[in-house]
Amino acid sequence: MVYSFWTVIQAGGHGWEHGPYLSPFYSPLLKFGWWPFSSAFLVAWIPLAFRGTCYYYRKAYFRAFFWDPPACAVSEPQLRKNYNGERAFPWILNNLHRFFLYLAVIILAILWIDAVNAFHYTNGLYIGVGSVLMLANVILLTSYTFSCHALRHLIGGSVDCFSCARAGRPRHGLWRLATLINPYHGAFAWASLVSVAVVDIYIRFVSSGALGSCFGAHAGC
Ligand code: FES
């Protein structure tokens, strides 16, 4: 979260983009005259809220940062006497996870368009390090999103009998697929977290000229 905040401030209103590449923090690149801050602020809160309310990350940050609990069979610190679970502000906001999921799926579709566009430059096929990184990143993000516990529940969690439910057969197929990748959700969470940062750093270096890559449309080429 700290890195995200820092990078969206760094690029200002234009975003990290270079040739066919666009940093995932800035996608979709929204440019409004009335918005004085970084355009990423209009978008980046969605994946941040999605990750911040993720069941896996909740387990990780509650244990690591809030010591809730610090370890198995270790009692919680005394200052947590008034803890109300996720029934009071701010933790009640974690119940919005499924809604952040819907928004995150829209952002994911846009990132797929960006990844495909990264293989297309000046009316021809283009393959660069950035294209491959963007593709790998969106595959990891898709794995993270589609292994989500809330999505698995949405597909089949409320169904007692697939053969009796509407569209039961395709739902059962999707539910089995989600069940297959769901145990790896934590691994996808970390891998996609790293890949987003790696893509952003790479495009930042390329757009600043530090890596020597030069596209025709870029000033100075
Ligand atoms: S549970 Fe982790 S993204 Fe939904």
Side-chain angles (χ1 to χ4, degrees), residues 93-141:
L93 296 178
N94 277 336
N95 293 292
L96 297 176
H97 182 65
R98 77 189 72 170
F99 302 106
F100 293 134
L101 165 69
Y102 307 149
L103 295 173
V105 168
I106 297 171
I107 299 288
L108 185 65
I110 295 168
L111 290 178
W112 267 106
I113 295 171
D114 290 345
V116 170
N117 286 342
F119 287 89
H120 188 261
Y121 191 62
T122 56
N123 298 325
L125 179 68
Y126 172 83
I127 299 178
V129 176
S131 326
V132 175
L133 286 177
M134 285 176 71
L135 180 63
N137 176 50
V138 81
I139 289 172
L140 287 172
L141 284 172

Side-chain angles (χ1 to χ4, degrees), residues 50 54-56 97 144 148-150 185:
F50 181 51
C54 163
Y55 292 79
Y56 173 75
H97 182 65
Y144 170 60
C148 168
H149 300 282
H185 187 59

Side-chain angles (χ1 to χ4, degrees), residues 2-133:
V2 171
Y3 175 78
S4 312
F5 192 69
W6 178 75
T7 195
V8 299
I9 289 177
Q10 285 277 307
H14 54 81
W16 295 118
E17 59 176 331
H18 187 63
Y21 303 154
L22 174 63
S23 164
F25 285 104
Y26 283 85
S27 184
L29 192 54
L30 304 173
K31 293 179 177 173
F32 301 114
W34 48 266
W35 182 252
F37 307 108
S38 166
S39 62
F41 279 121
L42 298 169
V43 179
W45 64 272
I46 295 174
L48 279 178
F50 181 51
R51 283 188 190 264
T53 57
C54 163
Y55 292 79
Y56 173 75
Y57 281 115
R58 270 143 79 173
K59 182 190 81 171
Y61 67 67
F62 264 85
R63 288 183 182 176
F65 296 116
F66 306 139
W67 285 6
D68 189 16
C72 287
V74 179
S75 59
E76 297 177 4
Q78 285 302 304
L79 53 91
R80 303 199 60 80
K81 263 188 283 191
N82 297 328
Y83 179 61
N84 284 318
E86 296 187 334
R87 293 173 296 144
F89 186 81
W91 305 121
I92 196 170
L93 296 178
N94 277 336
N95 293 292
L96 297 176
H97 182 65
R98 77 189 72 170
F99 302 106
F100 293 134
L101 165 69
Y102 307 149
L103 295 173
V105 168
I106 297 171
I107 299 288
L108 185 65
I110 295 168
L111 290 178
W112 267 106
I113 295 171
D114 290 345
V116 170
N117 286 342
F119 287 89
H120 188 261
Y121 191 62
T122 56
N123 298 325
L125 179 68
Y126 172 83
I127 299 178
V129 176
S131 326
V132 175
L133 286 177

Side-chain angles (χ1 to χ4, degrees), residues 187-209:
F188 289 135
W190 288 114
S192 60
L193 190 76
V194 172
S195 70
V196 170
V198 167
V199 171
D200 181 71
I201 291 168
Y202 179 79
I203 296 175
R204 167 197 299 259
F205 279 168
V206 172
S207 66
S208 68

